[in-house]
Amino acid sequence: MSEPEETPDDPVVKRFLYVNRKAPHGTVYALEELEMVLIAAMFEQDVHVVFLDDGVFQIKKNQSPGALEMKDFSKTYRALEGYDIEKIYVEKESMDERGLSTDDFIIPVEVLERAEIAALMDSMDVVLSA
Amino acid sequence: MLHLVNKSPFERTNLQACLQRAAPKSAILLLEDAVYGSLKGTVLSDLVGEAVNTFDVFVLEPDLVVRGLDAEQILQGVKPIGYDEFVDLTVARGTVQSWL
């Protein structure tokens, strides 16, 4: 079977999952992944975002990288809602291991158990990880 | 001797490697993503909380601030320091080992 043909009136919408596993400021991965999320949103895809492992630190409240003259992209996560990106998940175990709770996050998230992450990934057309 | 650790101990084992090999009384400074290792209430809090009895453990405060962390969230016995004190520590402790 060939892929469904895309026309302006009937665009192909795929299920995208962006997997964030890196802490935000020590490397550039988190910022790059966030930019990829915004690109997918512009193409009106079905975007899902999950924060695992050290990725949960990306949405920690009160970040101020401006103090080291770095870009404060943590505020951009709050703008995702404006792009209709509302399927945002955090893995419970990753959060608990790091002493964090949903109160520590700058955006509302749905908390999933580690066992549920596999099913989430499995249900996607495209998974992009950083 | 001053040991520098700059990787998140939740992702890599640089901090654990350092703690296993540093001589007692050594200074250990957590900076960049290693500052997450100084948090209370984590799976590593017992390990790091215990290390302060053997080593002088410091955390670089500017790197905490960037990540939205403050001194109240830091384990007892881990001392937050700034860049000036980092320089002083480097001079005072002589040899520096970076656990990259």
Side-chain angles (χ1 to χ4, degrees):
Chain A
M1 275 287 285
S2 59
E3 298 231 331
E5 196 162 333
E6 187 168 31
T7 67
D9 295 330
D10 188 18
V12 175
V13 176
K14 293 189 176 183
R15 286 167 62 81
F16 279 74
L17 177 64
Y18 290 87
V19 182
N20 292 281
R21 294 187 52 247
K22 297 280 191 182
H25 305 295
T27 64
V28 79
Y29 289 95
L31 173 58
E32 295 284 338
E33 181 93 344
L34 180 57
E35 290 186 347
M36 287 199 292
V37 170
L38 294 170
I39 290 166
M42 287 180 66
F43 285 95
E44 300 185 335
Q45 297 298 301
D46 184 14
V47 177
H48 304 67
V49 181
V50 64
F51 296 93
L52 302 182
D53 300 328
D54 276 350
V56 299
F57 288 127
Q58 292 179 23
I59 50 172
K60 173 82 179 61
K61 280 178 185 165
N62 300 324
Q63 293 178 53
S64 44
L68 292 185
E69 297 185 22
M70 296 190 298
K71 183 174 177 175
D72 186 4
F73 58 93
S74 72
K75 291 182 173 66
T76 308
Y77 295 103
R78 287 205 300 239
L80 292 179
E81 194 184 0
Y83 294 92
D84 290 329
I85 299 174
E86 290 166 338
K87 295 162 188 162
I88 300 177
Y89 310 94
V90 165
E91 187 191 63
K92 183 174 190 303
E93 288 83 348
S94 299
M95 187 174 79
D96 291 348
E97 285 164 5
R98 290 161 182 78
L100 298 174
S101 72
T102 53
D103 291 342
D104 291 307
F105 299 140
I106 52 173
I107 46 171
V109 296
E110 182 176 338
V111 178
L112 298 180
E113 306 270 339
R114 186 159 289 170
E116 297 175 282
I117 299 292
L120 180 73
M121 288 181 172
D122 233 28
S123 71
M124 296 292 152
D125 297 310
V126 182
V127 178
L128 292 162
S129 187
Chain B
M1 177 110 194
L2 170 63
H3 295 269
L4 300 180
V5 182
N6 75 336
K7 299 295 188 290
S8 167
F10 297 102
E11 182 180 279
R12 293 171 60 173
T13 55
N14 308 51
L15 174 59
Q16 293 84 333
C18 168
L19 293 175
Q20 286 163 11
R21 294 176 183 87
K25 312 272 189 209
S26 296
I28 298 173
L29 174 61
L30 309 178
L31 70 162
E32 299 172 24
D33 282 344
V35 302
Y36 292 122
S38 66
L39 286 173
K40 288 178 189 165
T42 79
V43 287
L44 294 170
S45 294
D46 286 349
L47 177 73
V48 180
E50 187 68 27
V52 304
N53 300 320
T54 310
F55 311 105
D56 295 330
V57 184
F58 303 89
V59 59
L60 195 62
E61 195 161 20
D63 283 339
L64 288 175
V65 172
V66 162
R67 291 165 180 78
L69 310 172
D70 60 55
E72 275 181 22
Q73 293 164 282
I74 299 312
L75 288 162
Q76 187 120 30
V78 178
K79 299 172 208 80
I81 61 170
Y83 289 117
D84 288 356
E85 291 156 295
F86 182 5
V87 173
D88 293 342
L89 200 58
T90 306
V91 173
R93 300 293 180 130
T95 318
V96 177
Q97 157 73 4
S98 287
W99 295 84
L100 298 174

